Amino acid sequence: MESVHYGSAVAVAADGSTMASAGDPLVPFYPRSALKPLQAVAMVRAGLELPADLLALAAASHSGAAQHREGALRILERHGLSVTDFENSSDLPYGVNEREEWLRNGGGATQLTQNCSGKHAAMAATCVINGWPVRGYLDPSHPLQQLVAETVTELTDEQPFALSTDGCGTPLFALTLRGMARAFGLIARAAADSEGTNDDGRPAAQRAEAAVGLAMQRHPDMVAGEGRDVTELMRLLPGSVAKDGFEGVQLVGLADGSAVAVKISDGGDRARMPATVKLLAGTGVNIEPLAGIATAPVVGGGRQVGLLRATDFLNQPSAPVNEAL
């Protein structure tokens, strides 16, 4: 045993009941980028219409590959906008390979390469569609952010416990793992219910949830990128809607409306996916296809000398135990 990560986790059924949990899933936390699918739902409700690949990018923490950068520019161009309308922070591409290639070609930190640029392009576009001011679109009092707050409250069935600012500058809400799991279950269920149908009788809210869920499922490479575990999870687990967040956050909604949520206490990203796969297994999901992202080797001297693996944190004694990895 070299090191241990701690955290909280919950699995909820479609009816909102708890199927499994560890730690304290009712303690408020910041979902960080796991909020993006909920923000995208709000924008679709406000009239944002994009091809599925670009809508997936609106819910993305992308790696900064050419397809991601070009996608963000396409959203801007469709609405008469430019990169000068961005209000996000500047950063290098998030993906390791993408960052190295960008640097080799003389690139530096920009707003376009920052991993939230697809979301910010979509936010600016939503403002244009509704006649709202583009300048100041990140202010919590802006009509766009007011709509996002209302949508987050509805989907999670929670009033935010606190308000902060995410790394890219977007308003950020403190919520519970149970509330976030509920939201992802709704999005995944809406996508499953609408797959292969043209049911225009569905409520507008449900159509927005379905649109976002289907876009993410059909274009998982736009939600993260090649070599990213979130992209792989959606490819390997049909019907799932998955999104990670900084500081060890992972959400996965499933086609039947159930969902799982994980928060690693120390923000350790390496613990996020192994704990998530273990939680999925505890709810009866066949995780055999996920074996490649469920663990990772510990290498010494060029060969494997250990293994990163999740403990049986769902089968601990009665006292609350936060050990996740």
Side-chain angles (χ1 to χ4, degrees), residues 152-171:
V152 168
T153 296
E154 176 193 332
L155 294 178
T156 62
D157 196 27
E158 292 181 347
Q159 289 290 335
F161 294 84
L163 178 67
S164 187
T165 305
D166 210 345
C168 65
T170 309

Side-chain angles (χ1 to χ4, degrees), residues 274-299:
T276 298
V277 174
K278 177 68 74 171
L279 182 58
L280 287 168
T283 62
V285 173
N286 176 19
I287 63 166
E288 185 175 349
L290 306 180
I293 59 174
T295 186
V298 176
V299 178

Side-chain angles (χ1 to χ4, degrees), residues 31 35 38 42 54 81 100 103 112 183 282-283:
L35 270 176
L38 284 65
L54 299 184
L81 297 162
E100 291 178 351
L103 290 171
L112 181 62
T283 62

Side-chain angles (χ1 to χ4, degrees), residues 295-320:
T295 186
V298 176
V299 178
R303 61 186 179 87
Q304 182 174 335
V305 296
L307 186 68
L308 180 73
R309 64 180 182 180
T311 64
D312 292 327
F313 57 84
L314 297 177
N315 298 313
Q316 298 288 354
S318 58

Side-chain angles (χ1 to χ4, degrees), residues 181-272:
R182 178 184 189 273
F184 270 70
L186 290 173
I187 292 172
R189 178 64 179 269
D193 288 348
S194 67
E195 184 72 86
T197 69
N198 292 305
D199 184 8
D200 292 333
R202 294 193 311 274
Q206 186 178 353
R207 289 199 299 271
E209 294 157 21
V212 172
L214 288 171
M216 295 174 68
Q217 291 172 353
R218 292 170 179 173
H219 299 277
D221 55 319
M222 297 297 277
V223 177
E226 296 304 326
R228 298 271 299 280
D229 54 18
V230 171
T231 292
E232 287 303 304
L233 189 151
M234 284 191 282
R235 285 173 172 167
L236 297 168
L237 191 60
S240 65
V241 173
K243 185 71 188 73
D244 54 342
F246 199 54
E247 295 296 319
V249 176
Q250 183 65 58
L251 271 294
V252 184
L254 301 173
D256 64 357
S258 63
V260 302
V262 169
K263 162 64 179 173
I264 304 302
S265 297
D266 66 356
D269 190 65
R270 71 175 189 167
R272 170 182 51 81

Side-chain angles (χ1 to χ4, degrees), residues 10-177:
V10 70
V12 300
D15 64 3
S17 61
T18 299
M19 295 188 291
S21 67
D24 194 342
L26 299 184
V27 169
F29 78 110
Y30 288 119
R32 303 297 290 266
S33 285
L35 270 176
K36 287 176 178 173
L38 284 65
Q39 293 164 328
V41 168
M43 290 187 277
V44 173
R45 290 183 180 181
L48 179 68
E49 295 185 9
L50 293 172
D53 62 331
L54 299 184
L55 183 54
L57 187 65
S61 296
H62 64 71
S63 292
Q67 64 176 349
H68 303 133
R69 303 191 304 270
E70 293 165 2
L73 291 174
R74 285 166 56 200
I75 296 174
L76 293 173
E77 291 165 0
R78 288 169 68 96
H79 298 88
L81 297 162
S82 70
V83 174
T84 59
D85 293 300
F86 277 150
E87 295 189 357
N88 60 318
S89 54
S90 297
D91 204 352
L92 294 168
Y94 182 78
V96 174
N97 293 334
E98 291 82 358
R99 185 186 314 122
E100 291 178 351
E101 180 183 3
W102 185 254
L103 290 171
R104 280 196 302 269
N105 292 324
T110 71
Q111 289 174 294
L112 181 62
T113 51
Q114 198 265 340
N115 74 87
C116 306
S117 63
K119 178 184 75 175
H120 284 263
M123 285 187 165
T126 303
C127 292
V128 170
I129 291 167
N130 287 275
W132 297 331
V134 175
R135 185 176 179 84
Y137 70 81
L138 293 184
D139 191 302
S141 65
H142 191 282
L144 172 64
Q145 300 305 333
Q146 290 291 300
L147 175 61
V148 169
E150 293 169 6
T151 304
V152 168
T153 296
E154 176 193 332
L155 294 178
T156 62
D157 196 27
E158 292 181 347
Q159 289 290 335
F161 294 84
L163 178 67
S164 187
T165 305
D166 210 345
C168 65
T170 309
L172 177 64
F173 311 101
L175 301 158
T176 71
L177 287 171

